[in-house]
Amino acid sequence: MKNLHFPSKIKVAIVQLKNVFTSEKVDGKYVLGGVEGKMLNVLAEKLNFRYEILTSPNGQYGSRNANGTWDGIIGLIQSGIADMGFGALSVSEERSEVVDFSLAYNAFQRSFATKEPSQMPKVTAFTYPYSLNVWILYGLMILAVTVLFQRIMFRKATLLGSFLSVLGSIFTQAIENVRDSPWRRILFGLWMTIAAVMTFLYNINFLSFLTMPEKVPVPKSFEELSKAVLNGKYKCLTPIGTIDRELLLGSDIDYMAKLGEAIEKNDWKYSYSKDFGDLFDDSVAIITSRISLQFFFGAPPYIRVKMSDEYFGIWNMGIALKKGFCCSEQLNDVLLRIISGGLYEEWFEMQVFAETLHKRLKLQHEELEFQLTLQDLKLPFFVLFVGLAFAFGVFLFEVLSPKRLDIFYS
């Protein structure tokens, strides 16, 4: 027989989380905040019950201990201390063995996030216009042209002299001591065309890098993240009290399993209850969900972390209930009305908007600069002066050295 009367008092287990569920007792009454705090207030009003807030003793949602018991929110409900559990709890098969869950009212898409990539250093900006493969091919082409011109184009030139002449042509310097014949003119014109085009492409790309600097590459997929972690360039954190680590370890995909092994070996983990924003570093990736990022950081463009487009699982969110809870049907009925009426979605968007506005007010206004500055040109001027000094040294050596040391002509 159904119990038509909802209990007059409910003990609710929670984890204090900013924008999700916050509780403060003022003059003997609970003042709740966050999306799920609003949902509990609506449920209490419609089902006519009072609640007592119990905070998770270890600040965790709940994970299984070696003896089969649970800690956190799930442990409080399993032991009968609490009747319900709130805090954006994910529904899993393991948890369902010890507690019941209400209707799902949202879903997690588990992925990873990294710190927003910074600008690449301008010290090495002169190498950015071409990729490594292009630089290698360009260097081999210069060496091949050096040998070819020394043998058939120049008169009595050494390899060093031929190399300096070819290298100088790339920097728009004239080439002298060339044997004149129709087919040599064609060969010479072909090389000068290549040298001019490559120099032109380099110049326009170099200026574009200075005015709009490239971002430091960050992992965009789990495969890239796994390689970065295995190479020691990144570490990956998983939240305490979730099954993310176990799912990675049990994956049939090789790079996912290796990522899980690295996380397990180093015991990389974090807690939502601590300052979430301080976890992000240039070489840190965090397993989380897009919803969690919006809760803690707000919405773009003021969010300073980058979320991967890949995800390795979807979990439903529900209210945890003790086994055999008398009035789950009544609770689900009100919860369904909240979801169908769009109230939860509205609360969520309002919370995200408030967090985004808070971030916006703290952000200092900066005018975007698209013109070249002295700081941008510091490196080119430095390279120029070093080159001029080197050229002057070579000039003095050539002038002052005796004829027998001539290394440019045989």
Side-chain angles (χ1 to χ4, degrees), residues 62-354:
S63 56
R64 192 194 296 270
N65 299 317
N67 59 3
T69 60
W70 289 71
D71 59 13
I73 293 177
I74 303 299
L76 291 175
I77 299 174
Q78 181 193 29
S79 61
I81 298 176
D83 302 304
M84 292 183 185
F86 280 78
L89 292 169
S90 56
V91 181
S92 68
E93 185 176 355
E94 284 187 330
R95 289 177 176 177
S96 297
E97 294 175 359
V98 294
V99 300
D100 292 331
F101 283 95
S102 67
L103 291 175
Y105 54 85
N106 210 332
F108 288 115
Q109 291 181 344
R110 304 300 290 180
S111 184
F112 71 90
T114 56
K115 185 179 179 181
E116 186 180 67
S118 58
Q119 293 181 356
M120 295 182 71
K122 293 181 179 179
V123 176
T124 55
F126 63 90
T127 65
Y128 297 161
Y130 297 144
S131 66
L132 178 61
N133 291 336
V134 174
W135 279 117
I136 294 174
L137 290 174
Y138 196 24
L140 292 175
M141 183 174 62
I142 292 173
L143 294 178
V145 171
T146 297
V147 175
L148 181 64
F149 276 27
Q150 189 263 339
R151 292 183 176 275
I152 66 175
M153 291 288 293
F154 297 128
R155 298 187 181 94
K156 298 181 180 181
T158 62
L159 277 176
L160 178 58
S162 177
F163 173 74
L164 293 177
S165 295
V166 171
L167 190 63
S169 67
I170 297 175
F171 299 100
T172 67
Q173 299 298 313
I175 296 182
E176 299 178 349
N177 191 36
V178 178
R179 295 174 182 173
D180 191 11
S181 66
W183 68 272
R184 286 190 177 92
R185 292 175 188 172
I186 296 175
L187 183 61
F188 181 70
L190 177 62
W191 166 247
M192 294 303 295
T193 302
I194 294 174
V197 170
M198 292 295 289
T199 303
F200 174 75
L201 294 176
Y202 178 87
N203 288 336
I204 59 175
N205 277 280
F206 181 61
L207 288 175
S208 69
F209 276 108
L210 291 179
T211 53
M212 296 292 290
E214 275 285 291
K215 298 287 187 178
V216 175
V218 298
K220 298 179 181 178
S221 65
F222 277 97
E223 185 174 6
E224 292 179 2
L225 176 61
S226 179
K227 290 179 180 178
V229 169
L230 295 177
N231 291 333
K233 298 179 180 179
Y234 264 79
K235 64 179 181 179
C236 183
L237 311 180
T238 56
I240 300 174
T242 65
I243 60 173
D244 295 336
R245 190 176 300 185
E246 288 76 9
L247 288 173
L248 290 172
L249 287 170
S251 175
D252 294 331
I253 304 175
D254 183 58
Y255 60 80
M256 296 286 279
K258 288 182 178 179
L259 176 62
E261 291 171 1
I263 295 172
E264 181 71 18
K265 178 182 178 181
N266 295 281
D267 194 26
W268 289 326
K269 58 188 177 182
Y270 71 94
S271 173
Y272 280 118
S273 58
K274 296 181 180 180
D275 195 345
F276 191 54
D278 292 341
L279 298 173
F280 287 95
D281 197 0
D282 290 334
S283 58
V284 173
I286 293 179
I287 301 292
T288 184
S289 65
R290 196 174 302 276
I291 289 177
S292 299
L293 288 182
Q294 290 178 323
F295 269 135
F296 292 106
F297 292 100
Y302 308 109
I303 186 170
R304 296 304 183 188
V305 294
K306 185 175 181 61
M307 193 78 183
S308 171
D309 293 330
E310 284 191 353
Y311 56 90
F312 68 95
I314 299 177
W315 283 264
N316 289 322
M317 293 163 49
I319 302 172
L321 307 170
K322 67 180 181 180
K323 282 289 185 180
F325 184 70
C326 65
C327 309
S328 57
E329 290 187 12
Q330 293 171 265
L331 177 68
N332 285 335
D333 181 61
V334 177
L335 187 58
L336 182 60
R337 296 179 188 180
I338 292 174
I339 300 170
S340 302
L343 289 178
Y344 184 85
E345 184 178 356
E346 181 182 353
W347 296 333
F348 176 79
E349 291 179 352
M350 288 178 61
Q351 199 70 54
V352 171
F353 173 77

